[in-house]
Amino acid sequence: MSGRTDSDTQDGIRTDAIEAHDTDDDTDTDTGSTDDMPRPDPADADADADGDSGEDEYAGEDARQARWTAAGTGALLTLAGLAAALLRLTGPAPALVPAAYALGAAVCALAALLGSRGRTRRALWLLIAGVMVMAVGDQLD
């Protein structure tokens, strides 16, 4: 594969670009330019350079939402793991089962702590690991 296009399609693409350029009245015409494509508006470049783009507007809110989500999910899974450990401890299950639930709950509690401090990626992986440990405890039952 050479990366070349068919020669018959290049002519069609070039004429489409020229026609689009000819019909666009907003673009600047540069007499010394050999480029047939329209140029971006310099006013748009100035607005992006000033930091007025809308992408940064919600950055703090998204981070706060991720922290709350990680902390809340970790706390919920911690409570579920502790409740399951207490229920299995009172039943006829082997001792390894409530220990697995308690260990999974401890990992989820650590994930909730990390999530509340802003380490949301690590918290996500710890939540996954904690739920997997709890699932092993469920399989041992």
Side-chain angles (χ1 to χ4, degrees):
M1 298 178 106
S2 65
R4 294 180 160 207
T5 59
D6 294 336
S7 60
D8 59 338
T9 59
Q10 288 180 353
D11 293 332
I13 293 172
R14 183 154 177 82
T15 57
D16 291 342
I18 292 171
E19 289 172 0
H21 180 65
D22 289 341
T23 59
D24 191 13
D25 294 334
D26 295 335
T27 59
D28 296 333
T29 55
D30 187 10
T31 56
S33 175
T34 58
D35 189 15
D36 291 333
M37 299 303 292
R39 301 212 183 275
D41 189 17
D44 293 339
D46 291 339
D48 289 340
D50 293 338
D52 293 337
S53 64
E55 296 174 9
D56 296 335
E57 186 176 341
Y58 299 107
E61 186 177 323
D62 289 343
R64 187 179 308 116
Q65 184 178 6
R67 285 193 303 268
W68 276 99
T69 302
T73 304
L76 183 68
L77 287 173
T78 299
L79 290 176
L82 288 176
L86 289 175
L87 285 175
R88 300 294 182 189
L89 190 62
T90 60
L96 192 59
V97 174
Y101 278 115
L103 180 63
V107 171
C108 288
L110 179 62
L113 179 70
L114 287 178
S116 68
R117 293 185 178 183
R119 304 288 185 182
T120 54
R121 285 186 191 154
R122 291 183 180 127
L124 173 66
W125 287 110
L126 283 176
L127 287 172
I128 292 169
V131 170
M132 286 176 64
V133 169
M134 288 188 232
V136 168
D138 191 44
Q139 289 296 315
L140 293 175
D141 190 20

